[in-house]
Every structure is written in C-alpha cells, then in structure tokens.
Amino acid sequence: KAGVTQTPRYLIKTRGQQVTLSCSPISGHRSVSWYQQTPGQGLQFLFEYFSETQRNKGNFPGRFSGRQFSNSRSEMNVSTLELGDSALYLCASSWATGGAGNTIYFGEGSWLTVV
Amino acid sequence: QKEVEQDPGPLSVPEGAIVSLNCTYSNSAFQYFMWYRQYSRKGPELLMYTYSSGNKEDGRFTAQVDKSSKYISLFIRDSQPSDSATYLCAMRANTGNQFYFGTGTSLTVIP
C-alpha cells in the first residue's frame, strides 16, 4: 500500500513569489492535514481537509491556503513568500477526522527554502 | 506556555542502553497519545499509539501514559545505532483531528 506522497521534495523560491505543494494521501484516507516544521517551533498545524471541506485551521496568516479535491488529493499554497516561510512542509493523512483509533501518517515532506 | 513540552536533548547513549524520552502537557482533554520517529530529512514515522492512561509495549519500545500527572514516556530497551533519530510526542483530544506535537528529542546511540 503506497504511503503519503508529497511533491516536490525540494524547492527554492524568491521572496514575494508563491508556491504550491501537492499531497496524495494513503489510498482510502479521506482526511489530509498540513504541518509546518521548523527547528525553532517544531511541528505546527496549518489546516485539515476532509471531504473537500476545511475542518480546522491553525494560527497562520491568510497567505497560507489549501484545498482538497474529490479524490482526496490536496494542495497547499503560500503566497507572497517571506524568508520565515522556509521550512519543511509535511502532509499527513488519516482515514477519518477524529474518533477512536484514528491517527495520522506523514509523507516525506517538501523542503521549501525562500531566498 | 506551550500545550506540549518536550526536552529537546540532545541525548547521547551507548549501544544497549535503556533510553527514556518524556513529554508533559497541559490540556486535560488530550486522550490519544503517540510517538513518532523522524530520521534526518525524512517525514515522521508512527511508532506507538496509546489511548488514555496505561502502558503499551511493542518489541523494544514501551509507551507509558500518566494522565493524572499529564506525563507520557517512551522507553527504548537495548538501544541500537539505528534508533538514532529525533523522537516526537504527539497527542489529541477525543474530538477533532488536530494533533499537538512536542518539539522533539534528538537521540544518538553510539556503537
């Protein structure tokens, strides 16, 4: 069974540009969450999508957005990039949104460097 | 105060040692507790999953949860060089799917 797939793995962008990251969840999983990981802050929750609807959102500015498609694949977009957006962006999938026994499985992440 | 606190280490132990990793938390609503292992430049990998208080064992790994103290632990017996990684604790409440993570403890097992 294939795991969570994220593309691209590595990218370098210039301040002010925008970026789109893609995530394909584990087959059968309908929930996709996005996290930002930095050395100083650790893993911080960005947002969760379930059945194409945003279910929850973390404390990030509106420059961070996402969406989910009918096949459960998800994309996140960061507009007007800032140097502080340099981070590992992790996608995680789960079969449900909450509930007993539900946990999340991560992809390998997309390394974003903003210069 | 962060909802989940984890000693960042780094922790360095000789091969074969018993390793103890810990997290504390402040939100009494947390019911589900997990430990993830993250190798350098890789995504976190689920190691252990427990519900409420108690112990769970899986091979060389034992997870303990003490909800009364808001304290969780991961023990690694007979540690191996391949255990060298960053260990992240995570937890969530009964409702919703938002997980809260510790900042991770970096572990090095020296052959």
Side-chain angles (χ1 to χ4, degrees):
Chain A
K1 194 172 187 182
V4 179
T5 305
Q6 290 187 246
T7 56
R9 287 293 321 278
Y10 303 93
L11 64 167
I12 300 173
K13 291 287 188 177
T14 305
R15 266 185 307 175
Q17 287 187 314
Q18 73 163 9
V19 66
T20 299
L21 309 177
S22 180
C23 173
S24 293
I26 293 171
S27 178
H29 284 192
R30 296 170 61 194
S31 170
V32 173
S33 301
W34 289 89
Y35 288 80
Q36 181 195 66
Q37 188 177 32
T38 58
Q41 297 296 320
L43 271 154
Q44 292 186 284
F45 174 76
L46 281 156
F47 29 65
E48 182 206 4
Y49 286 87
F50 181 81
S51 294
E52 301 179 66
T53 302
Q54 187 179 90
R55 298 298 299 262
N56 203 354
K57 190 177 192 306
N59 190 25
F60 278 82
R63 300 185 296 106
F64 292 81
S65 63
R67 59 177 176 168
Q68 187 180 34
F69 302 96
S70 58
N71 61 359
S72 294
R73 193 177 67 85
S74 177
E75 289 180 347
M76 70 162 280
N77 184 276
V78 188
S79 62
T80 319
L81 284 165
E82 300 176 359
L83 295 179
D85 297 333
S86 296
L88 176 64
Y89 289 88
L90 289 159
C91 171
S93 77
S94 59
W95 65 274
T97 178
N102 190 56
T103 190
I104 56 176
Y105 299 86
F106 286 93
E108 298 283 38
S110 292
W111 287 91
L112 171 64
T113 301
V114 182
V115 297
Chain B
Q1 182 191 6
K2 284 191 170 185
E3 297 215 50
V4 182
E5 300 279 359
Q6 183 175 9
D7 186 340
L11 193 57
S12 184
V13 301
E15 183 175 352
I18 296 174
V19 176
S20 172
L21 305 167
N22 312 293
C23 288
T24 58
Y25 62 96
S26 57
N27 190 342
S28 58
F30 290 150
Q31 297 280 347
Y32 298 93
F33 304 90
M34 287 130 283
W35 286 94
Y36 287 83
R37 177 175 61 195
Q38 187 174 23
Y39 291 114
S40 180
R41 307 193 75 79
K42 297 284 190 181
E45 163 194 16
L46 180 65
L47 268 182
M48 299 287 284
Y49 174 89
T50 54
Y51 169 68
S52 197
S53 285
N55 293 1
K56 183 175 182 180
E57 189 173 319
D58 184 0
R60 297 184 296 109
F61 298 89
T62 299
Q64 284 186 354
V65 176
D66 181 350
K67 288 191 67 185
S68 63
S69 302
K70 295 190 179 69
Y71 188 87
I72 70 170
S73 300
L74 178 71
F75 297 95
I76 307 174
R77 290 183 300 280
D78 187 25
S79 56
Q80 303 295 309
S82 59
D83 295 329
S84 298
T86 296
Y87 290 80
L88 299 154
C89 63
M91 47 201 78
R92 72 168 175 89
N94 198 36
T95 56
N97 209 32
Q98 182 171 348
F99 290 71
Y100 295 84
F101 286 82
T103 50
T105 299
S106 175
L107 170 67
T108 300
V109 180
I110 303 166

Short mmCIF file of all heavy atoms in Angstrom, two decimals, chain B residues 11-53:
data_model
loop_
_atom_site.label_atom_id
_atom_site.label_comp_id
_atom_site.label_asym_id
_atom_site.label_seq_id
_atom_site.Cartn_x
_atom_site.Cartn_y
_atom_site.Cartn_z
N LEU B 11 20.34 13.85 23.28
CA LEU B 11 20.60 12.74 24.17
C LEU B 11 21.55 11.79 23.46
O LEU B 11 21.31 11.41 22.31
CB LEU B 11 19.27 12.04 24.47
CG LEU B 11 19.17 11.03 25.59
CD1 LEU B 11 19.59 11.63 26.91
CD2 LEU B 11 17.74 10.50 25.65
N SER B 12 22.64 11.41 24.14
CA SER B 12 23.62 10.52 23.56
C SER B 12 23.84 9.35 24.51
O SER B 12 24.15 9.57 25.69
CB SER B 12 24.93 11.28 23.31
OG SER B 12 25.87 10.46 22.67
N VAL B 13 23.64 8.12 24.02
CA VAL B 13 23.76 6.93 24.88
C VAL B 13 24.59 5.87 24.18
O VAL B 13 24.67 5.85 22.94
CB VAL B 13 22.37 6.36 25.22
CG1 VAL B 13 21.51 7.39 25.94
CG2 VAL B 13 21.67 5.83 23.99
N PRO B 14 25.21 4.96 24.94
CA PRO B 14 25.93 3.86 24.30
C PRO B 14 24.95 2.78 23.84
O PRO B 14 23.85 2.63 24.40
CB PRO B 14 26.82 3.33 25.43
CG PRO B 14 26.09 3.68 26.67
CD PRO B 14 25.37 4.96 26.39
N GLU B 15 25.34 2.04 22.84
CA GLU B 15 24.53 0.94 22.33
C GLU B 15 24.17 -0.02 23.45
O GLU B 15 25.02 -0.34 24.29
CB GLU B 15 25.29 0.20 21.23
CG GLU B 15 24.52 -0.92 20.56
CD GLU B 15 25.30 -1.54 19.41
OE1 GLU B 15 26.37 -1.00 19.05
OE2 GLU B 15 24.83 -2.55 18.86
N GLY B 16 22.91 -0.44 23.49
CA GLY B 16 22.47 -1.37 24.52
C GLY B 16 21.83 -0.70 25.72
O GLY B 16 21.21 -1.37 26.55
N ALA B 17 21.94 0.61 25.82
CA ALA B 17 21.38 1.33 26.96
C ALA B 17 19.86 1.39 26.88
O ALA B 17 19.27 1.22 25.80
CB ALA B 17 21.96 2.75 27.02
N ILE B 18 19.24 1.66 28.02
CA ILE B 18 17.81 1.93 28.05
C ILE B 18 17.63 3.45 27.94
O ILE B 18 18.26 4.21 28.67
CB ILE B 18 17.17 1.43 29.36
CG1 ILE B 18 17.28 -0.10 29.44
CG2 ILE B 18 15.70 1.85 29.43
CD1 ILE B 18 16.80 -0.67 30.75
N VAL B 19 16.76 3.84 27.01
CA VAL B 19 16.52 5.26 26.78
C VAL B 19 15.13 5.63 27.28
O VAL B 19 14.18 4.89 27.08
CB VAL B 19 16.63 5.59 25.27
CG1 VAL B 19 16.29 7.05 25.00
CG2 VAL B 19 18.02 5.26 24.75
N SER B 20 15.05 6.77 27.93
CA SER B 20 13.77 7.27 28.41
C SER B 20 13.52 8.65 27.80
O SER B 20 14.33 9.56 27.97
CB SER B 20 13.78 7.37 29.94
OG SER B 20 12.63 8.03 30.40
N LEU B 21 12.41 8.79 27.10
CA LEU B 21 12.03 10.06 26.48
C LEU B 21 10.70 10.48 27.09
O LEU B 21 9.83 9.64 27.32
CB LEU B 21 11.90 9.88 24.97
CG LEU B 21 13.12 9.31 24.26
CD1 LEU B 21 12.78 8.88 22.84
CD2 LEU B 21 14.25 10.32 24.25
N ASN B 22 10.54 11.77 27.32
CA ASN B 22 9.37 12.22 28.06
C ASN B 22 8.74 13.47 27.48
O ASN B 22 9.42 14.29 26.85
CB ASN B 22 9.77 12.53 29.51
CG ASN B 22 10.59 11.43 30.13
OD1 ASN B 22 10.09 10.34 30.35
ND2 ASN B 22 11.86 11.69 30.38
N CYS B 23 7.45 13.61 27.73
CA CYS B 23 6.71 14.82 27.39
C CYS B 23 5.73 15.14 28.49
O CYS B 23 5.19 14.22 29.13
CB CYS B 23 5.93 14.65 26.08
SG CYS B 23 6.95 14.62 24.61
N THR B 24 5.49 16.41 28.69
CA THR B 24 4.43 16.83 29.59
C THR B 24 3.44 17.67 28.78
O THR B 24 3.80 18.23 27.73
CB THR B 24 4.96 17.67 30.76
OG1 THR B 24 5.66 18.81 30.24
CG2 THR B 24 5.91 16.87 31.62
N TYR B 25 2.22 17.75 29.26
CA TYR B 25 1.21 18.51 28.54
C TYR B 25 0.30 19.21 29.53
O TYR B 25 0.26 18.88 30.72
CB TYR B 25 0.43 17.62 27.58
CG TYR B 25 -0.35 16.51 28.23
CD1 TYR B 25 -1.70 16.67 28.54
CD2 TYR B 25 0.25 15.29 28.53
CE1 TYR B 25 -2.44 15.65 29.13
CE2 TYR B 25 -0.47 14.27 29.13
CZ TYR B 25 -1.81 14.44 29.42
OH TYR B 25 -2.53 13.43 30.00
N SER B 26 -0.43 20.18 29.04
CA SER B 26 -1.27 20.99 29.93
C SER B 26 -2.76 20.78 29.70
O SER B 26 -3.56 21.09 30.59
CB SER B 26 -0.92 22.47 29.77
OG SER B 26 -1.08 22.88 28.41
N ASN B 27 -3.16 20.26 28.56
CA ASN B 27 -4.57 20.16 28.20
C ASN B 27 -5.14 18.81 28.66
O ASN B 27 -4.81 17.77 28.10
CB ASN B 27 -4.73 20.32 26.69
CG ASN B 27 -6.18 20.46 26.26
OD1 ASN B 27 -7.09 20.11 27.01
ND2 ASN B 27 -6.39 20.95 25.06
N SER B 28 -6.01 18.86 29.65
CA SER B 28 -6.57 17.61 30.20
C SER B 28 -7.52 16.92 29.22
O SER B 28 -7.95 15.80 29.45
CB SER B 28 -7.29 17.90 31.52
OG SER B 28 -8.31 18.86 31.32
N ALA B 29 -7.85 17.59 28.12
CA ALA B 29 -8.74 16.98 27.12
C ALA B 29 -8.01 15.97 26.24
O ALA B 29 -8.65 15.19 25.53
CB ALA B 29 -9.36 18.06 26.25
N PHE B 30 -6.70 15.97 26.26
CA PHE B 30 -5.95 15.02 25.43
C PHE B 30 -6.22 13.59 25.88
O PHE B 30 -6.13 13.28 27.06
CB PHE B 30 -4.45 15.31 25.47
CG PHE B 30 -4.05 16.58 24.78
CD1 PHE B 30 -2.95 17.30 25.21
CD2 PHE B 30 -4.75 17.06 23.68
CE1 PHE B 30 -2.57 18.47 24.58
CE2 PHE B 30 -4.38 18.23 23.04
CZ PHE B 30 -3.28 18.94 23.50
N GLN B 31 -6.59 12.75 24.92
CA GLN B 31 -6.93 11.36 25.21
C GLN B 31 -6.08 10.36 24.44
O GLN B 31 -5.95 9.22 24.84
CB GLN B 31 -8.40 11.11 24.83
CG GLN B 31 -9.41 11.94 25.62
CD GLN B 31 -9.66 11.34 26.98
OE1 GLN B 31 -9.29 10.20 27.26
NE2 GLN B 31 -10.28 12.12 27.86
N TYR B 32 -5.56 10.79 23.30
CA TYR B 32 -4.80 9.89 22.44
C TYR B 32 -3.37 10.40 22.37
O TYR B 32 -3.13 11.59 22.15
CB TYR B 32 -5.42 9.86 21.04
CG TYR B 32 -6.84 9.34 21.04
CD1 TYR B 32 -7.91 10.21 21.14
CD2 TYR B 32 -7.09 7.98 20.97
CE1 TYR B 32 -9.21 9.75 21.17
CE2 TYR B 32 -8.38 7.50 21.00
CZ TYR B 32 -9.44 8.39 21.10
OH TYR B 32 -10.72 7.92 21.13
N PHE B 33 -2.43 9.45 22.53
CA PHE B 33 -1.03 9.82 22.64
C PHE B 33 -0.20 8.97 21.69
O PHE B 33 -0.39 7.76 21.61
CB PHE B 33 -0.55 9.63 24.08
CG PHE B 33 -1.40 10.39 25.08
CD1 PHE B 33 -2.51 9.79 25.65
CD2 PHE B 33 -1.09 11.70 25.40
CE1 PHE B 33 -3.30 10.50 26.55
CE2 PHE B 33 -1.87 12.41 26.29
CZ PHE B 33 -2.99 11.81 26.87
N MET B 34 0.71 9.62 21.00
CA MET B 34 1.52 8.94 20.01
C MET B 34 2.99 9.32 20.13
O MET B 34 3.32 10.38 20.66
CB MET B 34 1.06 9.35 18.60
CG MET B 34 -0.25 8.74 18.19
SD MET B 34 -1.40 9.98 17.56
CE MET B 34 -1.97 10.76 19.04
N TRP B 35 3.82 8.45 19.65
CA TRP B 35 5.25 8.74 19.49
C TRP B 35 5.61 8.50 18.03
O TRP B 35 5.23 7.49 17.44
CB TRP B 35 6.11 7.85 20.38
CG TRP B 35 6.04 8.25 21.83
CD1 TRP B 35 5.21 7.75 22.78
CD2 TRP B 35 6.84 9.24 22.47
NE1 TRP B 35 5.43 8.38 23.98
CE2 TRP B 35 6.43 9.30 23.82
CE3 TRP B 35 7.87 10.10 22.05
CZ2 TRP B 35 7.02 10.16 24.75
CZ3 TRP B 35 8.44 10.95 22.96
CH2 TRP B 35 8.03 10.98 24.30
N TYR B 36 6.33 9.48 17.48
CA TYR B 36 6.81 9.38 16.11
C TYR B 36 8.34 9.42 16.14
O TYR B 36 8.95 10.07 16.99
CB TYR B 36 6.31 10.56 15.26
CG TYR B 36 4.84 10.48 14.91
CD1 TYR B 36 3.87 10.92 15.80
CD2 TYR B 36 4.43 10.00 13.66
CE1 TYR B 36 2.51 10.86 15.47
CE2 TYR B 36 3.09 9.94 13.33
CZ TYR B 36 2.14 10.38 14.23
OH TYR B 36 0.81 10.33 13.90
N ARG B 37 8.94 8.75 15.18
CA ARG B 37 10.39 8.78 14.99
C ARG B 37 10.65 9.47 13.66
O ARG B 37 10.00 9.16 12.65
CB ARG B 37 10.95 7.35 14.97
CG ARG B 37 12.44 7.26 14.72
CD ARG B 37 12.90 5.81 14.84
NE ARG B 37 12.25 4.94 13.88
CZ ARG B 37 12.24 3.62 13.95
NH1 ARG B 37 12.84 3.01 14.96
NH2 ARG B 37 11.64 2.90 13.02
N GLN B 38 11.60 10.38 13.67
CA GLN B 38 11.92 11.12 12.45
C GLN B 38 13.42 11.07 12.20
O GLN B 38 14.21 11.61 12.97
CB GLN B 38 11.45 12.58 12.56
CG GLN B 38 11.61 13.36 11.26
CD GLN B 38 11.01 14.76 11.33
OE1 GLN B 38 10.84 15.32 12.41
NE2 GLN B 38 10.67 15.32 10.17
N TYR B 39 13.79 10.42 11.11
CA TYR B 39 15.18 10.41 10.68
C TYR B 39 15.46 11.70 9.93
O TYR B 39 14.55 12.35 9.40
CB TYR B 39 15.47 9.20 9.79
CG TYR B 39 15.42 7.88 10.52
CD1 TYR B 39 14.45 6.92 10.24
CD2 TYR B 39 16.37 7.57 11.50
CE1 TYR B 39 14.41 5.71 10.91
CE2 TYR B 39 16.34 6.36 12.18
CZ TYR B 39 15.35 5.45 11.88
OH TYR B 39 15.32 4.25 12.55
N SER B 40 16.74 12.04 9.85
CA SER B 40 17.15 13.29 9.23
C SER B 40 16.61 13.39 7.80
O SER B 40 16.75 12.46 7.00
CB SER B 40 18.68 13.37 9.23
OG SER B 40 19.10 14.57 8.63
N ARG B 41 15.97 14.52 7.51
CA ARG B 41 15.45 14.83 6.19
C ARG B 41 14.36 13.86 5.71
O ARG B 41 14.16 13.66 4.52
CB ARG B 41 16.57 14.94 5.16
CG ARG B 41 17.67 15.90 5.58
CD ARG B 41 18.59 16.24 4.44
NE ARG B 41 17.97 17.18 3.51
CZ ARG B 41 17.88 18.48 3.69
NH1 ARG B 41 18.33 19.02 4.79
NH2 ARG B 41 17.31 19.26 2.79
N LYS B 42 13.67 13.25 6.70
CA LYS B 42 12.56 12.37 6.39
C LYS B 42 11.31 12.84 7.13
O LYS B 42 11.40 13.64 8.07
CB LYS B 42 12.88 10.93 6.81
CG LYS B 42 14.06 10.31 6.09
CD LYS B 42 13.68 9.89 4.70
CE LYS B 42 14.77 9.05 4.07
NZ LYS B 42 14.41 8.65 2.68
N GLY B 43 10.16 12.31 6.74
CA GLY B 43 8.94 12.61 7.47
C GLY B 43 8.83 11.77 8.73
O GLY B 43 9.46 10.71 8.84
N PRO B 44 8.05 12.21 9.72
CA PRO B 44 7.86 11.43 10.95
C PRO B 44 7.15 10.10 10.66
O PRO B 44 6.24 10.05 9.83
CB PRO B 44 6.98 12.33 11.81
CG PRO B 44 7.16 13.71 11.25
CD PRO B 44 7.37 13.51 9.78
N GLU B 45 7.57 9.08 11.39
CA GLU B 45 7.03 7.73 11.22
C GLU B 45 6.38 7.32 12.53
O GLU B 45 6.99 7.44 13.60
CB GLU B 45 8.21 6.83 10.87
CG GLU B 45 8.02 5.36 11.01
CD GLU B 45 9.35 4.60 10.98
OE1 GLU B 45 10.41 5.22 11.14
OE2 GLU B 45 9.30 3.38 10.81
N LEU B 46 5.14 6.85 12.48
CA LEU B 46 4.43 6.47 13.68
C LEU B 46 5.08 5.25 14.33
O LEU B 46 5.26 4.22 13.70
CB LEU B 46 2.97 6.16 13.35
CG LEU B 46 2.09 5.75 14.53
CD1 LEU B 46 1.94 6.90 15.52
CD2 LEU B 46 0.73 5.28 14.03
N LEU B 47 5.40 5.39 15.64
CA LEU B 47 6.00 4.29 16.40
C LEU B 47 4.99 3.63 17.33
O LEU B 47 4.87 2.41 17.36
CB LEU B 47 7.14 4.83 17.27
CG LEU B 47 8.56 4.85 16.74
CD1 LEU B 47 9.49 5.39 17.81
CD2 LEU B 47 9.00 3.45 16.30
N MET B 48 4.32 4.45 18.13
CA MET B 48 3.43 3.93 19.16
C MET B 48 2.19 4.79 19.24
O MET B 48 2.24 6.00 19.05
CB MET B 48 4.12 3.94 20.53
CG MET B 48 5.38 3.12 20.63
SD MET B 48 5.04 1.35 20.65
CE MET B 48 4.47 1.13 22.33
N TYR B 49 1.07 4.13 19.56
CA TYR B 49 -0.20 4.83 19.70
C TYR B 49 -0.91 4.27 20.93
O TYR B 49 -1.08 3.06 21.06
CB TYR B 49 -1.04 4.57 18.44
CG TYR B 49 -2.44 5.10 18.49
CD1 TYR B 49 -2.71 6.39 18.08
CD2 TYR B 49 -3.50 4.32 18.94
CE1 TYR B 49 -4.00 6.89 18.11
CE2 TYR B 49 -4.79 4.81 18.99
CZ TYR B 49 -5.03 6.09 18.57
OH TYR B 49 -6.31 6.59 18.61
N THR B 50 -1.27 5.15 21.86
CA THR B 50 -1.95 4.69 23.06
C THR B 50 -3.16 5.58 23.34
O THR B 50 -3.20 6.75 22.94
CB THR B 50 -1.02 4.73 24.30
OG1 THR B 50 -0.47 6.04 24.41
CG2 THR B 50 0.09 3.73 24.18
N TYR B 51 -4.11 4.99 24.04
CA TYR B 51 -5.32 5.71 24.41
C TYR B 51 -5.39 5.79 25.93
O TYR B 51 -5.23 4.78 26.62
CB TYR B 51 -6.56 5.02 23.87
CG TYR B 51 -7.85 5.56 24.42
CD1 TYR B 51 -8.27 6.84 24.09
CD2 TYR B 51 -8.64 4.80 25.29
CE1 TYR B 51 -9.46 7.35 24.59
CE2 TYR B 51 -9.82 5.31 25.81
CZ TYR B 51 -10.22 6.58 25.45
OH TYR B 51 -11.39 7.09 25.95
N SER B 52 -5.58 6.99 26.45
CA SER B 52 -5.75 7.24 27.88
C SER B 52 -4.54 6.75 28.68
O SER B 52 -3.44 6.64 28.15
CB SER B 52 -7.05 6.61 28.36
OG SER B 52 -7.42 7.16 29.63
N SER B 53 -4.70 6.44 29.94
CA SER B 53 -3.57 6.06 30.79
C SER B 53 -3.21 4.59 30.62
O SER B 53 -4.04 3.78 30.22
CB SER B 53 -3.90 6.34 32.25
OG SER B 53 -3.85 7.71 32.52
#
